[in-house]
Amino acid sequence: MDSNTMREAVTPHETIELLKSLVRIPSVNGSEEAVALWLKDLFQNLGLETSLYEVEPHRPAVVGILHGKRPGKRLMYTTHFDTHVTDNMEIPPFEPEIRENRLYGRGSCDAKGSIAAMIMSAVLLQRTGCDFSGDLLLAFVPDEEYMNKGTTYLMEQGVTADMAVVGEPTEMAVGFGHRGCTHIDINVTGRAYHSAFPERGINAIEQMAHVITALRSEFFPTYEQKHHPYLGHPVINLGLIRGGTRIHTVADKCCASFLRRDLPGETTDDILGGIQEFLDRLMARDPKLCAHVSLSTIQQRIRLPFFMEPDHPLVSGVSESCRRAAGRAGEKQVMNYYCDASILCTESSIPTVIFGPGSISVAHSAVEYIELDQLTDAVYIYADYAMSLLAGEEKTP
C-alpha cells in the first residue's frame, strides 16, 4: 500500500486528537485505572477483541486484538500508559498544548505517543480492508516506570506473539538492544559512640567514603575491560547514600546504592561476587572496615539485558518500513535505557525491537513533548510493518 493511500485512510489530525485525549487522562505510576478503562472502551468501539488483565487491584492492562481473515502470525504492538510523576513539571501536565509542531504534556512522549500511533495503525488496517492473516495485538500496560509488573503479568498469563514491537521514544530509530540493570547496595557497619569521642567509634560514613573512592579508582575501571560489540561495557552510577542516626553520634551504619547496567552473559552472582571480592581485599587492608554487597531491596526482579542481531528480519523489516512508509532513515541502534523489551525477548523468547516517536531526552522532564511529525509518521510505519508481516510479504524464520 502506498503512503498516500495510508495518509488518506488515517489523517495526522486524528492521531493528534487521540494523543490529546490520552494526555488529558492522568496515569501517573500507581494510578493507571482510568486510562486503561478508557482504552478498553475505545477498543470495544473499534470492534477489537478486548480483554482486561488485573495486574494489581485497580491497575489493569488492556489488550485488543485485530483478527485477520485466516490463521497466521501474531504481531504484538505494546507499550505502557503509566507515566512519571508530575512534581517537577513547568507546564500543565494534563492540558495538551501544541506549539511549534510539538504536543506538550506528561506522557506525550513516554509513551502515550506510541500508544496513539499503534492504535491508529490498527484503524488504518481496518479502514483500508487490508487482507492479512493472523492477529495484530495491541497490549498496553501499567507499571513499566517502576517494576515492569504489567508486561511481566501478561507473559505469566500466556499472552504471547511471534514478533513484538515495544513503543518507546527512540526518535524513530529501530532499537535492537539495551543493557540490563542491577540495583546494588553496599553496606558498611561501624561502631556508634558519643561524638565527643569520635576516635572511640568507627564512623561508617567515613569508612564508606574510603570504599567508594577505592571502588571508583581501582575496581569500577575494570568494567571497561568487558566489551560487547554493540552495547559497549558495563556502567555504574552511585545514586543514593544513607547513613547515621543523628549528628551527635558516630555513625554505625551507611548504605550506598548503585545502579549497574549489565551486558548479555553477565549473571547477578558474578556481578555481586566481583564486588564482594574487592571489598574483602579492602577489609584485609583495614581491619576496622566491615563492608558487604547485596541486591538492593528495591530490586524485586532481575532486569536482564536485551539484544537482537541487527540483521534479524524483524529489525530489518521495521527499518525498511521506516523508509518505505515515511521516507525516514530507519537507523538501527542500541538504546541506553532499560524497557519491557527485555521481558518479551530475553525472558519470553519473543523476537522484539524498540521503536517509537519522541526523544528519551525529554521523557520524565519538566517540559515533556513529542514532535508531531514523528508521531504521525509512526502510524504509517507501524501499519506498513504489520501489513508486510501479516500479509505475507516479509520472509521471517
Side-chain angles (χ1 to χ4, degrees):
M1 186 183 302
D2 64 71
S3 60
N4 289 334
T5 301
M6 289 196 290
R7 281 163 173 76
E8 290 171 1
V10 168
T11 66
H13 176 75
E14 289 179 279
T15 305
I16 293 167
E17 289 302 307
L18 175 56
L19 179 54
K20 283 182 176 179
S21 296
L22 289 166
V23 170
R24 289 189 186 105
I25 306 171
S27 56
V28 172
N29 181 275
S31 302
E32 307 100 333
E33 185 175 40
V35 74
L37 296 179
W38 190 90
L39 286 166
K40 180 204 74 170
D41 291 343
L42 175 62
F43 285 180
Q44 290 176 334
N45 290 336
L46 291 174
L48 305 183
E49 180 187 329
T50 306
S51 302
L52 284 181
Y53 292 83
E54 200 75 3
V55 178
E56 288 184 343
H58 306 293
R59 304 185 76 187
V62 58
V63 174
I65 303 175
L66 178 62
H67 293 290
K69 297 179 180 179
R70 297 166 299 280
K73 295 183 183 297
R74 171 173 279 198
L75 172 62
M76 178 190 294
Y77 285 163
T78 182
T79 188
H80 61 98
F81 45 63
D82 65 315
T83 70
H84 191 61
V85 297
T86 61
D87 303 354
N88 67 326
M89 296 200 74
E90 298 173 2
I91 57 173
F94 309 121
E95 299 174 19
E97 180 184 3
I98 293 178
R99 289 184 277 115
E100 299 177 342
N101 207 38
R102 293 171 173 173
L103 190 152
Y104 290 80
R106 178 58 89 220
S108 57
C109 162
D110 186 23
K112 291 180 178 179
S114 291
I115 291 176
M118 288 172 167
I119 291 172
M120 294 312 295
S121 74
V123 170
L124 194 154
L125 266 62
Q126 287 180 313
R127 290 181 181 172
T128 57
C130 178
D131 182 9
F132 67 91
S133 304
D135 300 316
L136 175 60
L137 186 150
L138 305 178
F140 303 135
V141 302
D143 195 57
E144 188 271 352
E145 294 287 4
Y146 185 52
M147 290 301 301
N148 307 93
K149 292 178 181 177
T151 296
T152 301
Y153 187 79
L154 290 186
M155 296 298 100
E156 291 171 351
Q157 299 305 305
V159 178
T160 189
D162 296 289
M163 302 277 181
V165 179
V166 175
E168 289 284 348
T170 69
E171 293 191 87
M172 311 298 275
V174 184
F176 61 90
H178 63 59
R179 286 173 289 206
C181 295
T182 300
H183 296 201
I184 296 166
D185 283 348
I186 293 178
N187 285 282
V188 169
T189 303
R191 185 170 66 242
Y193 212 87
H194 195 289
S195 61
F197 306 97
E199 71 280 0
R200 298 180 185 179
I202 299 175
N203 193 309
I205 296 174
E206 293 180 0
Q207 292 281 65
M208 179 66 80
H210 296 311
V211 168
I212 292 170
T213 299
L215 284 167
R216 279 289 175 205
S217 62
E218 300 177 45
F219 183 70
F220 291 158
T222 65
Y223 289 160
E224 297 180 13
Q225 299 168 13
K226 301 174 183 288
H227 181 74
H228 185 279
Y230 294 99
L231 296 170
H233 59 76
V235 295
I236 191 162
N237 178 66
L238 171 60
L240 291 170
I241 292 183
R242 304 169 297 282
T245 55
R246 53 188 63 84
I247 196 168
H248 54 265
T249 302
V250 174
D252 63 344
K253 289 183 176 60
C254 187
C255 177
S257 295
F258 298 79
L259 192 152
R260 185 186 190 274
R261 298 190 180 270
D262 317 320
L263 299 181
E266 294 188 297
T267 69
T268 303
D269 288 345
D270 289 342
I271 292 166
L272 297 182
I275 295 173
Q276 189 61 56
E277 285 179 12
F278 181 76
L279 296 177
D280 290 344
R281 292 199 295 273
L282 292 182
M283 287 188 284
R285 287 189 231 165
D286 179 3
K288 292 182 179 180
L289 176 63
C290 179
H292 299 281
V293 66
S294 63
L295 274 183
S296 171
T297 55
I298 71 169
Q299 183 150 9
Q300 298 172 23
R301 67 184 317 279
I302 303 301
R303 290 174 167 87
L304 297 170
F306 146 69
F307 182 74
M308 295 275 292
E309 291 295 337
D311 59 355
H312 187 281
L314 172 59
V315 182
S316 299
V318 176
S319 179
E320 179 57 33
S321 286
C322 290
R323 290 187 286 272
R324 187 166 51 231
R328 290 185 174 270
E331 185 177 353
K332 303 174 184 179
Q333 295 180 358
V334 294
M335 299 297 147
N336 289 328
Y337 51 85
Y338 177 92
C339 72
D340 281 346
S342 170
I343 299 166
L344 294 162
C345 186
T346 310
E347 297 183 28
S348 305
S349 301
I350 301 172
T352 302
V353 295
I354 313 166
F355 174 81
S359 170
I360 196 66
S361 66
V362 298
H364 302 187
S365 73
V367 184
E368 183 176 351
Y369 64 83
I370 191 168
E371 300 283 352
L372 292 181
D373 289 345
Q374 292 186 20
L375 171 70
T376 55
D377 278 353
V379 176
Y380 312 121
I381 294 166
Y382 288 135
D384 183 87
Y385 183 70
M387 287 187 284
S388 69
L389 178 69
L390 301 178
E393 298 173 18
E394 180 175 292
K395 304 299 181 184
T396 56

